[in-house]
């Protein structure tokens, strides 16, 4: 059975990842991403710099490229590359047995929890970043189909789960912004279009959640929504090094009772996993060795996702 929190609320979490999304491109105008801007206005957000980044290919213990392999591994496991072992997109050295993703930890701690993940970068499933213990793992291949198409299919899959099933914790990954960043750079119209499309996908996910909490049969659901990215991009496109443009990442947190437009300070990618577990009512065991901290709970009342 799903853990029930105080006052009969049923905690649920949605984590949305948008690959290679530069914070300054996101925030430059509400029209670039109206849903994300709305989420920041009603929730909390903040930025931090990845504590790693190198452009060379030489060995360096505990140092990683600002690439997707290390970034999503840090987001999902709650530890930096010096522990999960992933320093590049080859995933060599991965230690997911010791440091599994937060959905796997949730499913292991509470076997009754319904966990699900839908991604357009198939490596996250193929390489084991998202473990086999997750109840549903769906990958739509952005590498072969193109990320615009694959992201659209990911959104449809997640919306179907939210509409017809009862997930407790859901991870959704979109990759078109990173693809556009590599192809034409983050200052290009193509990048803006990819961001706007992903923003629209997020909007439909939030609409599905709103429909759930408005359903009397699902009374008491309390949804926490987190949105983040794994790295940035150079103006010319590409990443992997140690510039601020490549290392800056963001976290957006929205949930019932949170004062709108607040700052999270300097939230780190490794804070996502312990925050998800906390919101699900799962205590973080010190033996897990997580390096992240739980992001603070809201303090002011609001009806959003109540």
């Amino acid at each position: 059975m799903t853990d029930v929190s105080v006052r009969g609320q049923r905690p649920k979490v949605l984590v949305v990842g948008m690959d290679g999304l530069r914070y300054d491109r996101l925030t430059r105008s509400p029209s670039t991403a109206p849903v994300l801007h709305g989420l920041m206005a009603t929730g909390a957000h903040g930025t931090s710099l990845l504590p790693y980044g190198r452009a060379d290919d030489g060995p360096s213990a505990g140092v990683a490229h600002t690439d997707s392999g290390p970034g999503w591994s840090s987001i999902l496991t709650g530890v930096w590359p010096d522990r999960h072992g992933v320093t590049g997109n080859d995933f060599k050295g991965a230690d997911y047995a010791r440091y599994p993703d937060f959905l796997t930890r949730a499913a292991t701690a509470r076997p009754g929890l319904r966990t699900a993940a839908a991604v357009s970068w198939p490596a996250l499933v193929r390489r084991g970043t998202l473990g086999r213990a997750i109840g549903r793992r769906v990958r739509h291949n952005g590498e072969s189909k193109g990320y615009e198409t694959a992201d659209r299919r990911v959104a449809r899959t997640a919306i179907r789960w939210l509409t017809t099933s009862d997930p407790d914790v859901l991870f959704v990954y979109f990759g078109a912004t990173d693809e556009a960043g590599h192809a034409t750079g983050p200052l290009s119209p193509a990048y803006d279009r990819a961001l706007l499309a992903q923003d629209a996908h997020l909007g439909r996910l939030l609409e599905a959640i709103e429909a759930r909490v408005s359903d009397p049969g699902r009374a008491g659901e309390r949804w926490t929504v987190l949105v983040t990215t794994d790295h940035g991009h150079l103006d010319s496109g590409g990443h992997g090094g140690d510039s601020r443009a490549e290392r800056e990442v963001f976290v957006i947190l929205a949930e019932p009772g949170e004062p709108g437009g607040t700052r999270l300070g300097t939230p780190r990618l490794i804070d996502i996993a312990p925050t998800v577990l906390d919101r699900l009512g799962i205590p973080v065991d010190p033996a897990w060795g997580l390096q992240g901290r739980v992001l603070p709970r809201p303090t002011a009342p609001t009806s959003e996702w109540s």
Side-chain angles (χ1 to χ4, degrees):
M1 293 293 290
T2 301
D3 180 57
V4 179
S5 65
V6 295
R7 294 179 293 175
Q9 292 181 323
R10 300 174 58 206
K12 293 177 180 287
V13 181
L14 168 67
V15 178
V16 177
M18 298 188 177
D19 202 302
L21 180 50
R22 256 178 51 168
Y23 182 72
D24 64 329
R25 304 308 293 169
L26 161 62
T27 57
R28 65 192 178 90
S29 169
S31 64
T32 60
V35 176
L36 282 164
H37 276 256
L39 209 59
M40 287 189 287
T42 58
H45 65 282
T47 65
S48 63
L49 296 178
L50 296 174
Y52 58 83
R54 73 167 190 253
D56 65 280
D57 292 321
S60 182
V63 179
H65 296 278
T66 47
D67 285 340
S68 294
W72 294 111
S73 295
S74 298
I75 290 165
L76 288 161
T77 65
V79 298
W80 291 124
D82 64 320
R83 294 198 183 182
H84 61 61
V86 180
T87 60
N89 284 348
D90 58 8
F91 289 86
K92 290 180 180 179
D95 191 1
Y96 297 135
R98 182 177 298 180
Y99 301 106
D101 63 274
F102 61 72
L103 296 109
T104 295
R105 287 208 186 274
T108 302
R110 300 273 174 80
L113 285 176
R114 290 167 288 272
T115 56
V119 302
S120 56
W121 189 31
L124 292 175
V125 173
R126 188 175 67 249
R127 297 288 190 169
T129 316
L130 293 163
R132 294 180 179 274
I134 298 170
R136 292 181 173 179
R137 294 184 306 166
V138 171
R139 50 179 172 173
H140 295 287
N141 198 332
E143 296 292 300
S144 62
K145 303 294 184 182
Y147 278 92
E148 179 182 357
T149 297
D151 285 352
R152 187 166 57 247
R153 292 176 178 175
V154 164
R156 288 174 181 169
T157 297
I159 290 167
R160 184 173 66 251
W161 290 341
L162 287 167
T163 303
T164 64
S165 300
D166 191 23
D168 293 304
V169 54
L170 176 60
F171 174 69
V172 179
Y173 166 99
F174 299 123
T177 40
D178 189 59
E179 182 180 48
H182 282 290
T184 58
L187 310 183
S188 67
Y191 190 86
D192 289 343
R193 289 193 296 271
L195 171 55
L196 192 60
Q198 290 177 178
D199 189 71
H201 295 327
L202 173 62
R204 287 188 283 274
L205 293 173
L206 298 181
E207 288 172 358
I209 290 176
E210 290 287 358
R212 290 183 64 90
V213 300
S214 299
D215 182 351
R218 290 169 169 157
E221 290 190 357
R222 177 187 173 94
W223 281 88
T224 297
V225 177
L226 290 145
V227 183
T228 192
T229 192
D230 56 333
H231 56 70
H233 266 276
L234 296 168
D235 286 355
S236 58
H239 51 83
D242 63 358
S243 70
R244 183 182 183 90
E246 295 163 279
R247 293 172 57 213
E248 186 173 37
V249 293
F250 67 87
V251 175
I252 301 171
L253 169 65
E255 56 190 334
E258 183 173 327
T262 59
R263 297 290 297 184
L264 286 173
T266 54
R268 303 164 299 168
L269 299 190
I270 57 171
D271 297 335
I272 298 286
T275 300
V276 171
L277 296 170
D278 174 75
R279 296 314 194 259
L280 291 171
I282 298 172
V284 174
D285 188 337
W288 294 344
L290 301 192
Q291 295 170 304
R293 65 177 186 271
V294 175
L295 295 175
R297 289 181 176 273
T299 56
T302 178
S303 61
E304 197 78 12
W305 296 312
S306 58

